[in-house]
Amino acid sequence: MTALPLRTAHNGFTLPAIGLGTYRLNGDAGAAAIAAGIDAGYRLVDSAFNYENEGTVGRGVADAATDRAEVIVTTKLPGRHHPSEKARWSIEESRFRLGLDATDLHLIHWPNPIQDEYVQAWAALVEARERGTVRQIGVSNFLPEHLERLERETGVLPVVNQIELHPYFPQAEQLEYHREHGIITEAWSPIGRAKALLDEAVIVEVARAHDIAPAQAVLAWHVARGSVAIPKASSLEHQKANLAAASVVLDDAEVEAISALGRPDGRLFDADPRTHEES
Ligand SMILES: NC(=O)c1ccc[n+]([C@@H]2O[C@H](COP(=O)([O-])OP(=O)(O)OC[C@H]3O[C@@H](n4cnc5c(N)ncnc54)[C@H](OP(=O)(O)O)[C@@H]3O)[C@@H](O)[C@H]2O)c1
């Protein structure tokens, strides 16, 4: 099994360059797909309270032949649980559903700036980390202004920010901000949900040049830009192909040509963190 490149946060925490997304992996079939993915080499598994699959992920981790200690299990706190007291039990509930002594990485799912309770949620995560029931804490869909407020009001900077990131929405400035602050960037919907993006001429061309599939060309683009992609794949064939993409090296011209697909309205759906409020 080839070792995946690692990304390192400001506190030394590391993540592999490719992880497994799990949105819509549920039930027996989902648990079997997750266990198979881990045994094929995934060491980072995503999840969220709102995906209603923490039980499935926990089962997949338990059923894998791979030692549980080698796997970084992630979940996310939903918007309706931001207030302090709810955040406290939600963090515990997620851990119970996952069936773990400690959650490896717990993120705030969305900042919900209009609701404006994300600092309370963050304080609850800091507390859980101090108690040892959560190992590392981070956020998702946070803009620099939200990250700065967390640091200003709690003195603690997230280790990870999981954001929408794919060639239609390359987010170069946000990536640079993360790099400067030692925050690992995780890319959600990294292959654009395997829709129109994979038929783009430039992607097909890069894939052909390296004798790989279009999804692998997109994942190699993420690897070249230093982020952690978490493609969701239910089939073992896709899971293995996505892991193998980590060893494909694109040159600067190829990276730039793919980045040129970016456009200001490149989000897959209406999910601007300034206005999107996720329950
Ligand atoms: N933080 C957030 O707000 C947020 C938002 C959205 C998603 N996420 C996380 O990010 C993960 C990934 O995003 P996503 O699920 O939206 O989209 P994605 O990973 O970009 O795309 C998933 C789709 O790609 C297909 N696929 C996977 N590998 C492939 C390959 N090698 N060739 C062709 N098709 C392939 C999958 O099909 P099969 O399943 O059939 O293999 C699935 O239909 C989610 O699962 C979730 O964990 C987080």
Side-chain angles (χ1 to χ4, degrees), residues 166-170 197 199-207 209-210 217-218 220-222 224-225 250-263:
H166 44 72
Y168 288 144
F169 201 58
L197 177 67
D199 296 326
E200 290 286 352
V202 61
I203 305 279
V204 171
E205 210 176 288
V206 169
H210 291 266
V218 177
W221 173 83
H222 285 285
R225 297 173 92 233
L250 303 189
D251 64 30
D252 291 349
E254 290 171 320
V255 172
E256 273 171 38
I258 294 177
S259 300
L261 289 171
R263 47 198 199 213

Side-chain angles (χ1 to χ4, degrees), residues 23-197:
Y23 180 53
R24 297 203 171 144
L25 290 179
N26 298 84
D28 277 339
I34 291 161
I38 292 169
D39 289 337
Y42 285 86
R43 292 296 176 264
L44 168 65
V45 181
D46 194 55
S47 179
F49 194 100
N50 275 351
Y51 301 168
E52 301 181 336
N53 73 351
E54 289 165 312
T56 299
V57 169
R59 174 57 71 93
V61 171
D63 285 354
T66 306
D67 186 353
R68 177 271 173 276
E70 287 185 33
V71 185
I72 297 164
V73 182
T74 310
T75 193
K76 311 186 196 85
L77 182 77
R80 63 190 177 283
H81 297 165
H82 282 192
S84 304
E85 201 179 324
K86 281 187 188 159
R88 254 178 242 124
W89 67 247
S90 180
I91 293 164
E92 294 300 286
E93 182 62 25
S94 284
R95 182 166 66 85
F96 299 153
R97 290 182 186 193
L98 286 162
L100 301 174
D101 290 337
T103 307
D104 301 301
L105 179 61
H106 209 126
L107 314 179
I108 300 178
H109 207 148
W110 285 86
N112 288 12
I114 298 160
Q115 181 184 317
D116 194 19
E117 291 165 328
Y118 64 85
V119 178
Q120 291 183 45
W122 187 243
L125 281 173
V126 172
E127 225 177 79
R129 191 189 57 180
E130 281 163 4
R131 275 201 310 277
T133 55
V134 170
R135 294 204 170 95
Q136 299 287 340
I137 56 176
V139 294
S140 177
N141 300 300
F142 273 48
L143 298 170
E145 70 212 52
H146 308 133
L147 294 164
E148 275 158 22
R149 182 157 167 220
L150 291 186
E151 196 178 24
R152 199 169 56 241
E153 296 195 19
T154 68
V156 183
L157 201 59
V159 293
V160 164
N161 190 11
Q162 184 184 115
I163 56 172
E164 177 172 2
L165 186 59
H166 44 72
Y168 288 144
F169 201 58
Q171 303 233 52
E173 281 176 25
Q174 176 105 20
L175 249 65
E176 186 49 35
Y177 181 91
H178 291 167
R179 212 168 284 125
E180 281 167 10
H181 291 83
I183 298 170
I184 300 171
T185 305
E186 280 191 350
W188 63 256
S189 294
I191 56 171
R193 298 206 163 150
K195 294 189 175 155
L197 177 67

